[in-house]
Amino acid sequence: MRALRVVASAVAASFSAIGAVVACLAAIGIAHAQDAAALKKQMPGQWELSTTERSKTCVVTLKGDAAGQGFKLELEPACKAALPFTKDIVAWSVRGLDIVRLQDATGEAVIDFTEVEAGIFEGLRQGEGVYILQDLAAARAMAKSMDQMIGDWSMVRGNGQPVCGLTLTNTEAGPDNFQVFLKPRCDASIAQFNPTQWRLERGQIILMSKSGDAWQFEADDNAQWRRVPDTADPLIMLRQ
């Protein structure tokens, strides 16, 4: 009898464990469904589809109305010239938990996006590169920020000693990059790096040399741009 009680207890414990697992899976399923539902509610509105540094842009209006296998959208007329692949986009949808799909008439992906920052989605087209989908107002604010980057800058050390002057331009120098020019009498380390291109990427100023080396600068609380990762003898860019 005691053995039967032990077996019964074990069986009850097993059913209890199974019940807990089922409940957990159900909770996960509900959370996932809520995530997808929230994303569907979040997306309708105006978005900018662009190359990573906005050298080519296109305004996409996502709508909440059903359209075939997804939801309706509108592309501004200039989209097909700026980004030729957009000619195949006829609808949008949410796939899985967090994928925003711009799709063709059959429901196949023209490009899939996942959120990398709040309100900023990133997608890859094989053989072409990375594209960004972000809130139109935020994108235009970023464009204004980039315009403010253009002009003369000074590089200084942490003690304020000037070590180089440079000019950021809006002259294109390859996909999503722009020309930068060093002024005479730069510090040897900077002259050796000799950046020829720059871009603004995710809040950083990126300087690039002909050899492919890159220096990243981030804005600090004093409206200065410090090279990262930071060092004991920091390099700082100051707007002139």
Side-chain angles (χ1 to χ4, degrees):
M1 182 65 69
R2 181 179 179 184
L4 288 175
R5 284 199 297 268
V6 170
V7 171
S9 177
V11 170
S14 296
F15 278 119
S16 177
I18 291 171
V21 170
V22 170
C24 182
L25 291 175
I28 291 172
I30 291 171
H32 287 178
Q34 289 175 340
D35 288 345
L39 192 55
K40 287 177 184 178
K41 291 180 180 180
Q42 169 190 337
M43 297 307 297
Q46 286 192 304
W47 296 79
E48 181 186 84
L49 173 60
S50 70
T51 51
T52 52
E53 292 314 312
R54 303 184 71 257
S55 60
K56 296 178 181 178
T57 65
C58 161
V59 175
V60 183
T61 303
L62 304 183
K63 299 186 174 183
D65 306 317
Q69 300 183 48
F71 300 94
K72 292 181 180 179
L73 59 73
E74 289 182 359
L75 300 168
E76 67 175 353
C79 286
K80 293 178 182 178
L83 301 169
F85 70 84
T86 60
K87 64 181 173 52
D88 297 321
I89 297 172
V90 300
W92 72 279
S93 63
V94 172
R95 300 288 173 157
L97 302 181
D98 58 357
I99 295 174
V100 175
R101 171 170 293 179
L102 302 186
Q103 61 195 46
D104 63 20
T106 68
E108 292 298 315
V110 177
I111 184 169
D112 281 339
F113 290 94
T114 54
E115 194 167 25
V116 292
E117 297 178 29
I120 300 178
F121 295 77
E122 190 174 278
L124 173 68
R125 277 181 58 83
Q126 293 295 334
E128 294 184 27
V130 174
Y131 293 88
I132 303 297
L133 185 70
Q134 63 179 319
D135 177 80
L136 181 61
R140 288 180 171 169
M142 180 181 291
K144 183 177 180 181
S145 297
M146 185 169 177
D147 289 342
Q148 293 172 348
M149 300 295 107
I150 296 167
D152 292 329
W153 292 74
S154 175
M155 278 191 184
V156 303
R157 293 294 180 188
N159 59 8
Q161 177 186 358
V163 291
C164 190
L166 67 160
T167 302
L168 305 184
T169 77
N170 59 357
T171 303
E172 291 190 11
D176 304 318
N177 297 329
F178 303 90
Q179 290 183 347
V180 56
F181 298 100
L182 293 186
K183 295 183 179 181
R185 297 185 296 278
C186 282
D187 180 86
S189 62
I190 300 169
Q192 183 176 4
F193 171 53
N194 191 24
T196 59
Q197 300 182 32
W198 77 281
R199 67 173 179 262
L200 189 62
E201 180 176 314
R202 296 183 185 175
Q204 291 185 335
I205 294 176
I206 312 292
L207 300 180
M208 294 156 287
S209 69
K210 286 184 179 179
S211 64
D213 293 331
W215 288 2
Q216 294 87 26
F217 293 81
E218 288 185 351
D220 64 17
D221 295 336
N222 299 313
Q224 302 173 342
W225 293 77
R226 300 171 69 92
R227 187 182 173 192
V228 292
D230 209 353
T231 64
D233 185 21
L235 188 60
I236 299 169
M237 288 181 60
L238 300 175
R239 190 74 166 83
Q240 298 298 290

